[in-house]
């Protein structure tokens, strides 16, 4: 989509948290119909900067593109991450410098919010002034990956345990990407949807189901890229969206 939001100084953590996060939340509400959207984490990616071990001013290290087909959350870790956001931020949480010990989500409301439809959506953007020409982001159409192709794995952090999904290879999976995406465009990447058919409650409590629970994704080598093309530089902001009762 055309994001309609301005860029910021991405290598200044304070600027991203205070200026860019709110804009991503507004974009998420505008494009999805969500009632409330919270931004809670982000990554900056650049192969060259990662190789050089570049650090963000006031933030974490710049990461390289992720070259494994994965989804960021599972049926276990998605609701657990949502509930974590209703607790005081932990030492390694991106929002701790901004929130201190105040939870991002009101802990008295989290149970009610999770009874309705909610989703975790990444706002992915190119941050170079030139279009992406190298190491683009590939996106898999959710319904083309059956659960029999999904592999669960854990990630152990200093203060919490995450759980992600890998995907076994299959020629049946349908992949897409956006060639030469510009810095004015954004990809809204669904990493979890409580109304997705794969794990939606059978009692219909989240309203009607939608075909895709999540979209596997990965960076990849584009054979059409020129040898001297610039490495892509990108930012992804993780948001959690809560929808009106009728959604």
């Amino acid at each position: 989509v055309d994001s309609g939001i301005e860029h910021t100084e991405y290598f200044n953590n304070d600027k991203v948290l205070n200026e860019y996060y709110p804009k991503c939340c507004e974009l998420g509400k505008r494009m999805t119909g969500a009632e409330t959207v919270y931004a809670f984490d982000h990554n900056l990616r650049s192969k060259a900067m990662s190789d050089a071990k570049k650090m963000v001013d006031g933030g974490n290290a710049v990461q390289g593109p992720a070259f494994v087909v994965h989804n960021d959350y599972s049926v276990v870790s998605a609701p657990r991450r949502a509930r974590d956001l209703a607790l005081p931020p932990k030492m390694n949480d991106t929002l701790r410098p901004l929130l201190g010990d105040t939870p991002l989500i009101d802990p008295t409301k989290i149970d009610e919010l999770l009874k309705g439809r909610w989703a975790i959506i990444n706002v992915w953007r190119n941050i170079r002034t030139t279009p992406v020409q190298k190491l683009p982001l590939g996106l898999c159409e959710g319904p083309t990956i059956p659960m029999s192709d999904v592999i669960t794995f854990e990630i152990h952090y200093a203060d919490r345990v995450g759980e992600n999904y890998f995907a076994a290879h299959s020629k049946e999976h349908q992949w897409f990407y956006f060639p030469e995406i510009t810095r004015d465009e954004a990809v809204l990447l669904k990493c979890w949807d409580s109304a997705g058919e794969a794990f939606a409650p059978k009692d219909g409590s989240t309203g009607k189901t939608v075909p895709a629970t999540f979209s596997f994704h990965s960076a990849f080598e584009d054979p059409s890229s020129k040898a001297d093309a610039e490495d892509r530089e990108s930012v992804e902001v993780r948001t959690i969206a809560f929808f009106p009762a009728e959604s």
Side-chain angles (χ1 to χ4, degrees), residues 3 14 17 27 34-35 80-81 92 104 138 156 176 231 242:
S3 69
D14 182 69
L17 296 184
L27 177 65
E35 190 170 55
R80 184 168 61 197
R81 191 69 180 106
N92 290 330
L104 177 65
H156 289 254
F176 304 87
D231 282 343
F242 297 98

Side-chain angles (χ1 to χ4, degrees), residues 160-171:
R160 61 186 176 89
V161 177
E163 188 173 280
N164 294 15
Y165 287 144
F166 284 159
H169 174 73
S170 171
K171 293 182 180 179

Side-chain angles (χ1 to χ4, degrees), residues 5-235:
I5 56 177
E6 297 177 356
H7 288 264
T8 190
E9 297 176 32
Y10 292 107
F11 297 100
N12 181 313
N13 202 56
D14 182 69
K15 293 278 189 181
V16 174
L17 296 184
N18 286 283
E19 298 179 2
Y20 192 63
Y21 273 26
K23 295 174 183 176
C24 290
C25 293
E26 288 302 315
L27 177 65
K29 287 193 286 187
R30 174 161 54 90
M31 298 306 300
T32 69
E35 190 170 55
T36 308
V37 178
Y38 299 93
F40 62 90
D41 196 11
H42 74 282
N43 286 320
L44 287 160
R45 296 190 185 274
S46 163
K47 184 178 184 303
M49 291 184 186
S50 176
D51 290 346
K53 302 186 184 304
K54 179 177 175 60
M55 298 291 295
V56 176
D57 182 15
N60 298 322
V62 178
Q63 299 184 29
F67 288 101
V68 61
V69 176
H70 69 286
N71 184 65
D72 298 14
Y73 297 95
S74 72
V75 67
V76 171
S77 65
R80 184 168 61 197
R81 191 69 180 106
R83 291 190 179 279
D84 284 347
L85 299 176
L87 300 173
K90 296 180 180 179
M91 190 60 63
N92 290 330
D93 281 345
T94 304
L95 285 171
R96 186 172 175 82
L98 185 65
L99 298 177
D101 291 327
T102 303
L104 177 65
I105 300 174
D106 186 340
T108 66
K109 297 181 179 179
I110 188 64
D111 286 341
E112 193 63 29
L113 288 170
L114 293 180
K115 289 179 182 177
R117 182 187 177 192
W118 57 278
I120 297 176
I121 301 169
N122 285 3
V123 180
W124 188 98
R125 295 181 80 189
N126 165 31
I127 62 174
R128 278 192 179 275
T129 56
T130 53
V132 171
Q133 300 175 359
K134 194 174 183 180
L135 308 180
L137 177 68
L139 311 164
C140 190
E141 186 176 357
T144 68
I145 297 188
M147 289 306 300
S148 57
D149 289 349
V150 175
I151 303 165
T152 305
F153 70 101
E154 287 186 347
I155 302 178
H156 289 254
Y157 300 96
D159 52 8
R160 61 186 176 89
V161 177
E163 188 173 280
N164 294 15
Y165 287 144
F166 284 159
H169 174 73
S170 171
K171 293 182 180 179
E172 301 302 315
H173 302 165
Q174 298 296 309
W175 285 86
F176 304 87
Y177 82 110
F178 300 97
E180 299 192 358
I181 190 168
T182 72
R183 73 194 312 262
D184 294 324
E185 298 172 301
V187 175
L188 270 62
L189 175 61
K190 184 162 67 173
C191 295
W192 189 262
D193 190 336
S194 67
E197 288 181 353
F199 296 104
K202 303 306 179 187
D203 61 6
S205 59
T206 60
K208 64 182 181 181
T209 60
V210 296
T213 303
F214 45 75
S215 174
F216 279 94
H217 49 283
S218 176
F220 71 99
E221 295 278 0
D222 184 353
S224 69
S225 296
K226 297 180 180 178
D228 59 351
E230 296 177 326
D231 282 343
R232 64 112 149 154
E233 294 177 6
S234 60
V235 62

